[in-house]
Amino acid sequence: CQVDLSTLSKEQTHKLEMPLEEGEGYLVLLVTLTASAAVTISDLSINSLEDQKEREEILKRYSPMMMFHNISDVGFLQVKVIRAEALMAADVTGKDSFSKSDPFCVVELNNDRLLTHTVYKNLNPEWNKIFTFNIKDIHSVLEVTVYDEDRDRSADFLGKVAIPLLSV
């Protein structure tokens, strides 16, 4: 099914019941369009925290004097997804032999979900991405999952790690 997000109002949860293209059943979605300014993806070569002005703004924003200014803004988390090594081969090539994967990485914190690009035919992909998230609850869990992209069906699970923010 396809959803035209431009027809939905912002900052409101919509319950959508979408018929599947092949006509076999439907998908129920809860969709909320919201702006989360601090959720970003950037290349590893462009690290915003190395910018002195950006660093000063962050220190000011989370200083003890600003502690009660916005109770739900606990802080931010920057995750660097550099590479994966020795991934499981998930794609069939040749005579029923497995020899490659088309991996991509998904980084999730609460309702924020960011993805890397897919590195095709590679068991040792390099993404070199920086993901920045707002932290609203220190009891949240960061999840990093690697999938194998399959164009004709859903992605295959290759591996996952869950990191409680309290352990960081």
Side-chain angles (χ1 to χ4, degrees), residues 4 18 31 57-59 73 88 134 143 147 166:
D4 182 0
M18 307 295 298
V31 179
E57 286 294 319
I58 290 168
L59 289 173
D73 186 9
M88 177 180 73
N134 267 341
E143 294 182 357
Y147 294 97
L166 286 174

Side-chain angles (χ1 to χ4, degrees), residues 25-92:
Y26 61 95
L27 185 63
V28 178
L29 302 169
L30 294 176
V31 179
T32 306
L33 299 178
T34 185
S36 186
V39 178
T40 62
I41 301 175
S42 61
D43 287 321
L44 193 59
S45 60
I46 308 167
N47 187 348
S48 61
L49 288 185
E50 291 175 358
D51 178 12
Q52 188 60 32
K53 187 175 180 181
E54 179 77 14
R55 188 182 212 85
E56 289 171 9
E57 286 294 319
I58 290 168
L59 289 173
K60 187 167 82 174
R61 181 175 172 185
Y62 297 111
S63 71
M65 292 179 63
M66 297 294 286
M67 187 180 303
F68 298 106
H69 182 70
N70 185 353
I71 298 293
S72 66
D73 186 9
V74 177
F76 73 99
L77 175 69
Q78 197 169 70
V79 180
K80 296 178 181 181
V81 178
I82 299 169
R83 68 179 177 270
E85 294 178 358
L87 292 176
M88 177 180 73
D91 292 337
V92 177

